[in-house]
Amino acid sequence: MIEDRYSRQVNFGKIGEDGQKKLMESTVVIIGLGALGTVCANNLCRAGVGHIKLIDRDYVEISNLQRQTLYDEVDVLNEKPKVMAAYDHLRRINSSVTVEPIIAHIGPVNIEEMIRNCDLVLDCTDNFETRYLINEACYKQRVPWIYCGAIGSNCMTMNIIPNQTPCFMCFAGEDDNLQNGDTCSTIGVLNMVTGIAASYQSAEAIKILLKSEDVRTTMLYMDIWDNATEYIEVMRNPHCPVCGENKFAHLRAGQSTSTSVLCGKNEIQVIPRNVWKPDFHQLSFALSNLGEVDYNQFVLTFQKDSFTIKLFGDGRALIKNAKDENHAIAIYTEFFGG
Ligand SMILES: [Zn+2]
């Protein structure tokens, strides 16, 4: 008999006791712990998915609380990395689930290792760059994944199962027109639409883990303001570079010092060319003559003039108030080398 905790789910005929056991033996990787990721993590943790790996590069801020349901004001005050805040909340919700928090930026160098041996990957990111990587890594390792995106009052989600469904590249293409430059910070996003999208995503996650015949094969599009729901048939592209020709251009892309402007804030992320593990204690000593510096086990914060740098344990930094991406690299190099 499976504990009382899951009785409502076990009594649901399409899951049952065998299904529940299967869920408890499953491993899911959630990439991105924002509006979609927090809802998915909450749903899957309560549903008893046995092992949940959380990956995110960011920390909790006040503008997150409108829709990122696992966080609260204490997390904002503590500037907690999102995965650590999520981990603390999830542990109190269901201690029988193993939650593995990983503070990292997903890139071509680490994604294949991050998803190895998992049963399913959930795309809860906000950018196409990462989705192309997820698509290639999952296709290579034959791991199913679920694409999901939400903005304004609309959302889109699709299950991508290697060798069964079209892949992400089949419909997005290389110079995709789905990516029109809008972000949640410029045109906003309703918390109801992220909640709905992520709930659909986690329902499909359960079905995929249980190898249900009812897994959705179409792309679901919904606009909760304009009252639209569409199920869109996506065709497989026989010349698709990924699922047609087994070419993994995004994974192969070399690692150089790179920057990206983060969705929703005045911050630029700098990822150095050379991987290094900063010694926060030593650095804070050196930087204390130049500006204000503070650190905890996860992040070192350095404030000088008008900009603020947050340096993480993997050598990556978020720089607030840099003029542009080149300025951000210059600031990074000035204080940390590279
Ligand atoms: Zn394809």
Side-chain angles (χ1 to χ4, degrees):
M1 260 305 280
I2 290 175
E3 48 181 318
D4 230 18
R5 179 191 287 272
Y6 304 120
S7 58
R8 302 303 186 273
Q9 209 165 274
V10 168
N11 290 343
F12 176 68
K14 297 199 170 177
I15 294 182
E17 215 165 299
D18 288 345
Q20 187 60 44
K21 279 191 190 133
K22 223 177 202 174
L23 294 181
M24 291 158 72
E25 289 160 5
S26 298
T27 299
V28 174
V29 177
I30 301 180
I31 302 182
L33 261 289
L36 300 172
T38 51
V39 172
C40 285
N42 179 52
N43 283 345
L44 297 189
C45 179
R46 287 181 194 270
V49 170
H51 190 123
I52 304 174
K53 206 186 227 190
L54 309 174
I55 307 171
D56 194 282
R57 60 189 176 186
D58 219 344
Y59 56 92
V60 184
E61 291 182 290
I62 191 78
S63 63
N64 301 151
L65 300 188
Q66 168 249 7
R67 64 199 178 286
Q68 304 187 11
T69 55
L70 279 180
Y71 311 132
D72 58 34
E73 292 183 1
V74 177
D75 299 321
V76 177
L77 282 176
N78 294 335
E79 296 193 321
K80 252 197 191 162
K82 285 184 177 176
V83 292
M84 296 313 300
Y87 170 76
D88 288 343
H89 291 288
L90 293 171
R91 207 166 40 167
R92 288 197 291 269
I93 289 167
N94 188 349
S95 59
S96 69
V97 165
T98 307
V99 178
E100 191 185 340
I102 299 172
I103 308 171
H105 168 77
I106 284 283
V109 284
N110 63 2
I111 187 160
E112 294 190 67
E113 200 44 51
M114 295 280 186
I115 69 165
R116 203 171 301 285
N117 298 325
C118 76
D119 299 297
L120 175 71
V121 174
L122 299 184
D123 156 39
C124 299
T125 68
D126 57 8
N127 67 85
F128 274 61
E129 201 183 310
T130 313
R131 290 178 182 131
Y132 285 129
L133 279 177
I134 296 174
N135 189 49
E136 291 182 4
C138 284
Y139 187 77
K140 231 175 133 180
Q141 296 186 24
R142 301 296 188 266
V143 174
W145 68 283
I146 307 179
Y147 156 63
C148 192
I151 190 162
S153 57
N154 70 64
C155 62
M156 246 184 194
T157 176
M158 179 182 164
N159 301 321
I160 296 169
I161 305 175
N163 296 337
Q164 284 182 39
T165 68
C167 82
F168 185 73
M169 186 64 94
C170 284
F171 78 85
E174 193 60 84
D175 57 345
D176 60 277
N177 48 18
L178 293 167
Q179 214 181 177
N180 58 6
D182 286 339
T183 71
C184 299
S185 61
T186 54
I187 69 167
V189 62
L190 300 184
N191 61 15
M192 307 86 192
V193 83
T194 47
I196 288 169
S199 290
Y200 268 104
Q201 192 180 17
S202 25
E204 291 301 312
I206 300 287
K207 290 197 240 169
I208 290 173
L209 293 174
L210 298 183
K211 301 201 167 21
S212 161
E213 292 169 353
D214 303 314
V215 170
R216 199 184 58 248
T217 55
T218 50
M219 165 128 63
L220 170 61
Y221 169 85
M222 204 180 265
D223 192 310
I224 60 166
W225 203 270
D226 296 343
N227 310 310
T229 303
E230 286 173 45
Y231 293 94
I232 302 161
E233 204 77 51
V234 175
M235 301 305 289
R236 187 159 184 186
N237 171 9
H239 306 295
C240 171
V242 179
C243 71
E245 296 167 2
N246 282 286
K247 286 183 187 148
F248 306 110
H250 293 85
L251 279 181
R252 276 212 325 272
Q255 178 87 335
S256 58
T257 296
S258 62
T259 55
S260 51
V261 179
L262 297 192
C263 180
K265 41 187 162 179
N266 178 26
E267 270 183 346
I268 293 173
Q269 172 171 258
V270 177
I271 302 164
R273 188 178 32 236
N274 301 314
V275 179
W276 66 296
K277 287 213 174 302
D279 179 332
F280 289 165
H281 178 69
Q282 215 169 33
L283 263 177
S284 70
F285 186 71
L287 293 170
S288 59
N289 296 322
L290 306 167
E292 256 179 76
V293 57
D294 191 18
Y295 70 96
N296 59 30
Q297 62 188 119
F298 310 114
V299 61
L300 175 142
T301 307
F302 175 57
Q303 213 171 332
K304 182 177 160 55
D305 307 326
S306 60
F307 60 82
T308 307
I309 307 177
K310 282 187 181 295
L311 181 70
F312 294 87
D314 57 359
R316 180 175 54 89
L318 296 177
I319 302 180
K320 202 168 236 168
N321 293 332
K323 283 196 286 274
D324 54 29
E325 301 189 30
N326 284 331
H327 185 220
I329 293 179
I331 293 172
Y332 187 96
T333 314
E334 181 181 348
F335 297 105
F336 309 124

